[in-house]
Amino acid sequence: MKQVLKNIKVSEISALIAQLGFSPEQEVNLTIEENSESLISIMDKVGKKAQAKGLTEDKLTELLVDES
């Protein structure tokens, strides 16, 4: 039997195993993938989308000017 469960919190794993009815001695295969992106990769994606929509270095500099 193959079940795919996504977005499970680490704190919920033991309760989930009990809910699924696995005995403590039963062997299973488990794949763990980290679900979070780094801040740098998120910023890279945002930057690429902004450039694709026409944001240039000059426009960015203009937007970031401190007018106080």
Side-chain angles (χ1 to χ4, degrees):
M1 170 176 75
K2 181 177 181 178
Q3 289 187 334
V4 177
L5 304 171
K6 295 185 177 187
N7 300 320
I8 305 300
K9 293 180 182 172
V10 172
S11 61
E12 299 170 342
I13 292 174
S14 59
L16 179 61
I17 289 170
Q19 275 183 326
L20 293 172
F22 294 125
S23 74
E25 301 303 316
Q26 186 172 352
E27 293 183 1
V28 297
N29 293 324
L30 177 66
T31 301
I32 297 176
E33 297 175 1
E34 188 175 354
N35 225 11
S36 60
E37 288 185 75
S38 71
L39 179 58
I40 297 297
S41 68
I42 293 169
M43 292 172 63
D44 286 343
K45 286 180 184 179
V46 169
K48 287 176 185 175
K49 285 182 182 180
Q51 287 176 341
K53 292 182 178 185
L55 183 66
T56 63
E57 289 288 329
D58 290 339
K59 288 180 183 177
L60 180 60
T61 301
E62 189 177 310
L63 290 170
L64 296 176
V65 170
D66 184 8
E67 297 179 5
S68 58

